[in-house]
Amino acid sequence: RAKELGRNNFQFFSEDMNRSIMEHLALEKEISEALTREQFSLVFQPKISLFDFHITGVETLLRWNHPEKGFIPPDRFIPVAEETGQILEIGSWVLEQSCRQISSLIRSKVLPPTTKVAVNLSARQFNDPSLLNRIRSVIEISKIPPQCLELELTESTLMDDVESAIVTMQEIKKIGISIAIDDFGTGYSSLAYIKRFPIDVLKVDRSFVMDIPGDQNDMAITAAVIAMAHKLSMTVVAEGVETEEQLHFLRRNNCDEGQGYLFSRPLSLAQLHQFLSEHQRRHSD
Ligand code: C2E
Ligand code: MG
Ligand code: MG
Ligand code: MG
């Protein structure tokens, strides 16, 4: 009977759904192989002060180099890993590696001690009861000053369960770590909650920056978000800055920091080293 039902159920799936389920299962298996076979690596994208162009920090971005399929973008596998729970193991690895790698650059004075390393945290990680202990142990192992660590959370992560999110955020802040809201403006958070969250940094989503200076509405929204964030004592970072025009607009509107291809693509640790020394040379005179 079960078998029959199974067979009948099977027919409810369209060819397309069937294919996507199979792909999903294959990806799940490949993700666990990627972890054990060390196919993951990290790249770092600098964040730049729009006032004096110094490097304020770097954001860690995960990379998966699959032996046959080549580069698989995070937007494709992170949602799967989030669903299967594999993101917990991946996320711990990202957190620990980010802190180790950047902490060593800070200790060897390649980066100033005020530099922040920003790590993206998925909803599942944020809601994991062992998150705080994990963070504390990573800080201890990597010897990174907690003030150098920033966690990037999305609006949807925080809106899941607002009251418990506030408590978790407060615990994170007590350690000395700062909190950034990623992709701001694309989620479903309300201003009533934004004012209650202990947020340090607001990252204006790339979709608002993209069409500056062509789109009047995007310019109005970006300028208003910057002003609002400043009134709430938050630092504002613009994502996806690609052109000089965008940079001028953001500077005119007092945006604090920028991130994007205009300044730098995400870099390997070796490339980051190179970027830092060139950047220092350019800005020292
Ligand atoms: P995000 O955190 O908003 O990261 C910014 C994304 O925009 C990155 O894509 C980055 O490479 C890209 N980007 C930066 N500057 C520019 C620009 O000027 N133009 C354009 N077109 N793109 C730019 P990436 O690396 O593909 O990551 C995509 C998303 O995957 C991230 O969005 C983040 O949500 C997620 N992600 C990446 N690494 C991790 C991770 O370690 N953990 C978790 N949970 N999520 C991650
Ligand atoms: Mg991010
Ligand atoms: Mg973002
Ligand atoms: Mg994004």
Side-chain angles (χ1 to χ4, degrees):
R1 174 96 184 107
K3 222 175 189 173
E4 231 169 63
L5 243 178
R7 208 166 30 234
N8 287 340
N9 273 344
F10 194 72
Q11 300 189 337
F12 286 127
F13 293 117
S14 70
E15 194 77 357
D16 269 1
M17 275 169 83
N18 210 357
R19 194 177 308 118
S20 96
I21 290 166
M22 296 306 283
E23 267 172 19
H24 186 112
L25 285 172
L27 207 51
E28 175 174 359
K29 185 161 165 283
E30 287 177 320
I31 290 169
S32 57
E33 285 171 358
L35 270 165
T36 56
R37 295 181 192 168
E38 296 172 25
Q39 293 164 10
F40 288 125
S41 61
L42 300 180
V43 286
F44 304 95
Q45 189 179 34
K47 283 192 280 183
I48 309 287
S49 160
L50 300 188
F51 297 103
D52 60 10
F53 297 106
H54 82 278
I55 296 159
T56 58
V58 293
E59 175 180 3
T60 300
L61 295 160
L62 184 58
R63 293 290 175 263
W64 180 6
N65 197 356
H66 189 284
E68 286 101 41
K69 296 177 185 168
F71 173 70
I72 303 177
D75 287 330
R76 261 200 62 208
F77 68 86
I78 285 178
V80 177
E82 174 79 13
E83 216 176 292
T84 62
Q86 291 166 305
I87 192 69
L88 290 178
E89 204 183 328
I90 298 173
S92 295
W93 182 85
V94 170
L95 191 62
E96 184 173 334
Q97 283 301 315
S98 304
C99 290
R100 273 180 196 270
Q101 296 185 25
I102 300 308
S103 169
S104 84
L105 291 190
I106 293 173
R107 271 177 294 139
S108 57
K109 303 210 161 55
V110 174
L111 281 169
T114 49
T115 313
K116 281 191 162 44
V117 53
V119 178
N120 292 288
L121 222 61
S122 77
R124 195 106 169 208
Q125 282 177 282
F126 181 73
N127 294 317
D128 178 14
S130 62
L131 174 73
L132 290 159
N133 281 333
R134 202 176 288 279
I135 293 174
R136 288 191 195 96
S137 96
V138 164
I139 288 174
E140 205 177 298
I141 295 167
S142 67
K143 300 187 183 66
I144 194 162
Q147 292 69 27
C148 292
L149 187 55
E150 187 164 281
L151 298 177
E152 294 195 0
L153 305 166
T154 62
E155 293 167 88
S156 58
T157 296
L158 299 173
M159 295 308 292
D160 259 5
D161 177 350
V162 170
E163 298 307 322
S164 91
I166 292 174
V167 174
T168 307
M169 291 170 96
Q170 285 166 342
E171 292 298 320
I172 290 171
K173 297 274 301 170
K174 274 187 212 154
I175 305 177
I177 295 169
S178 51
I179 293 173
I181 303 302
D182 207 350
D183 306 336
F184 185 75
T186 59
Y188 294 97
S189 63
S190 82
L191 297 179
Y193 289 120
I194 289 295
K195 73 165 189 190
R196 292 185 58 206
F197 292 142
I199 300 165
D200 302 285
V201 179
L202 213 150
K203 298 187 78 175
V204 181
D205 190 66
R206 185 166 70 86
S207 59
F208 298 107
V209 176
M210 212 160 59
D211 297 325
I212 295 173
D215 190 311
Q216 293 293 328
N217 292 339
D218 284 341
M219 288 195 280
I221 291 169
T222 302
V225 168
I226 295 167
M228 177 197 74
H230 283 163
K231 295 260 185 212
L232 296 170
S233 306
M234 298 171 190
T235 298
V236 189
V237 181
E239 292 187 333
V241 183
E242 293 186 355
T243 69
E244 293 285 342
E245 287 92 339
Q246 290 164 355
L247 173 62
H248 290 315
F249 175 84
L250 293 165
R251 293 192 81 190
R252 258 202 324 278
N253 285 279
N254 298 317
C255 185
D256 303 281
E257 296 171 26
Q259 207 181 357
Y261 298 164
L262 178 65
F263 307 112
S264 171
R265 292 188 171 255
L267 307 169
S268 69
L269 200 66
Q271 291 171 324
L272 178 64
H273 231 282
Q274 182 75 25
F275 178 84
L276 291 167
S277 55
E278 279 168 17
H279 193 270
Q280 218 160 29
R281 219 173 310 129
R282 242 179 302 136
H283 291 270
S284 61
D285 38 42

